[in-house]
Amino acid sequence: MQTIQRRIEAGTYGPGSLLPSENQLIQEFGVSRPTVVAALRMLREQGWIDSQQGKGRFVRGRPAMSSAERPRPGQAYLTAPETTSEGEVIEAAALAAPNRITALLGLASKSKAFLRRRLVSRDGEPTEIVSLWVPVESSEGTDLTSAEPLPQGLREHLQARKGVRFDHVVEQITARMPTTEEAKRLGMPKNTPLLAVYGAVRDASGTALAVVEVLLPADRHELEDAYPIG
């Protein structure tokens, strides 16, 4: 989806032009049909393209307020199937969680939590490390331990398997220097900081259900927001 979106922004696919067919996209990117269908659905929902029955999908261009409508890093990871992005699962285990994570999950200090961590890539280059932390019991009976990308979003998967209902996310953004391992995995130059985005997922009562942690090299990312003025 990101490649198609960048092509629209660059004018490769101009407003009013017909997008390549699903079969053409499958052949070009070497991915499955469900992955292509899911990516095109997201582009349509965000206002980048239109679908016309019997004619195909046409480019609308950059949607108004697109940055406001685009999912934030943690939200995108929660809602989009893992199969729609390049990457690999680099860790999936129950382990002692850092203090920030236990605090956000409402757990006692030094408690264990289940971690599913992916190294996400774009055009073959690593761009971010995305981690999902949940209480250990919330991982039981799920596919979070799988080394394969999930064909559904984490929100949908946990709601189906555990019956939880996500209501809102409380987001925190901080900056820090990467660990040696983080810098190596992300191919970061020396003395380059990380932007760390933490999204605490809660139900309607405010009970913590999960934490999404997104680590972004500061030399490759910027966080943009837009909002109407009433």
Side-chain angles (χ1 to χ4, degrees):
M1 184 191 79
Q2 293 171 333
T3 299
I4 298 174
Q5 182 177 313
R6 289 200 299 273
R7 289 179 182 178
I8 294 173
E9 292 179 305
T12 306
Y13 300 149
S17 64
L18 181 66
L19 278 183
S21 67
E22 289 180 12
N23 288 336
Q24 289 173 320
L25 293 172
I26 290 168
Q27 292 177 4
E28 178 179 357
F29 296 114
V31 296
S32 66
R33 185 175 299 277
T35 298
V36 168
V37 170
L40 292 172
R41 182 179 66 248
M42 290 182 65
L43 288 169
R44 186 183 69 250
E45 291 174 350
Q46 293 174 13
W48 293 89
I49 64 175
D50 269 333
S51 297
Q52 296 184 23
Q53 188 68 31
K55 294 184 178 180
R57 297 176 176 88
F58 292 84
V59 175
R60 294 181 61 187
R62 174 183 283 276
M65 296 294 289
S66 60
S67 60
E69 296 169 356
R70 186 182 305 128
R72 299 183 71 88
Q75 179 188 356
Y77 186 64
L78 286 171
T79 57
E82 291 182 344
T83 50
T84 61
S85 62
E86 299 178 52
E88 61 176 318
V89 177
I90 57 176
E91 198 164 6
L95 43 77
N99 289 337
R100 180 185 288 269
I101 300 300
T102 56
L104 291 173
L105 285 175
L107 302 175
S109 179
K110 300 181 181 180
S111 293
K112 282 191 173 184
F114 186 86
L115 165 67
R116 179 177 177 83
R117 176 168 287 158
R118 293 183 77 227
L119 178 64
V120 178
S121 303
R122 181 181 298 171
D123 298 330
E125 297 293 330
T127 60
E128 58 206 71
I129 296 174
V130 186
S131 304
L132 175 76
W133 296 86
V134 296
V136 173
E137 60 272 15
S138 296
S139 68
E140 297 169 353
T142 71
D143 292 336
L144 296 181
T145 58
S146 173
E148 298 299 318
L150 300 180
Q152 57 189 167
L154 290 165
R155 173 183 180 178
E156 182 182 353
H157 186 72
L158 287 172
Q159 287 186 167
R161 294 294 182 91
K162 306 300 291 187
V164 297
R165 290 291 178 267
F166 293 179
D167 182 76
H168 62 280
V169 176
V170 178
E171 188 176 86
Q172 301 173 352
I173 302 174
T174 187
R176 63 172 174 82
M177 298 305 295
T179 65
T180 301
E181 181 66 19
E182 290 166 347
K184 181 179 178 181
R185 287 192 180 278
L186 291 166
M188 296 177 61
K190 188 176 181 180
N191 298 324
T192 300
L194 281 171
L195 294 174
V197 181
Y198 297 91
V201 185
R202 299 178 181 176
D203 64 15
S205 70
T207 300
L209 301 174
V211 173
V212 179
E213 175 190 19
V214 186
L215 302 181
L216 306 165
D219 62 332
R220 288 175 241 164
H221 294 271
E222 64 179 34
L223 301 179
E224 179 183 354
D225 203 358
Y227 50 87
I229 298 178

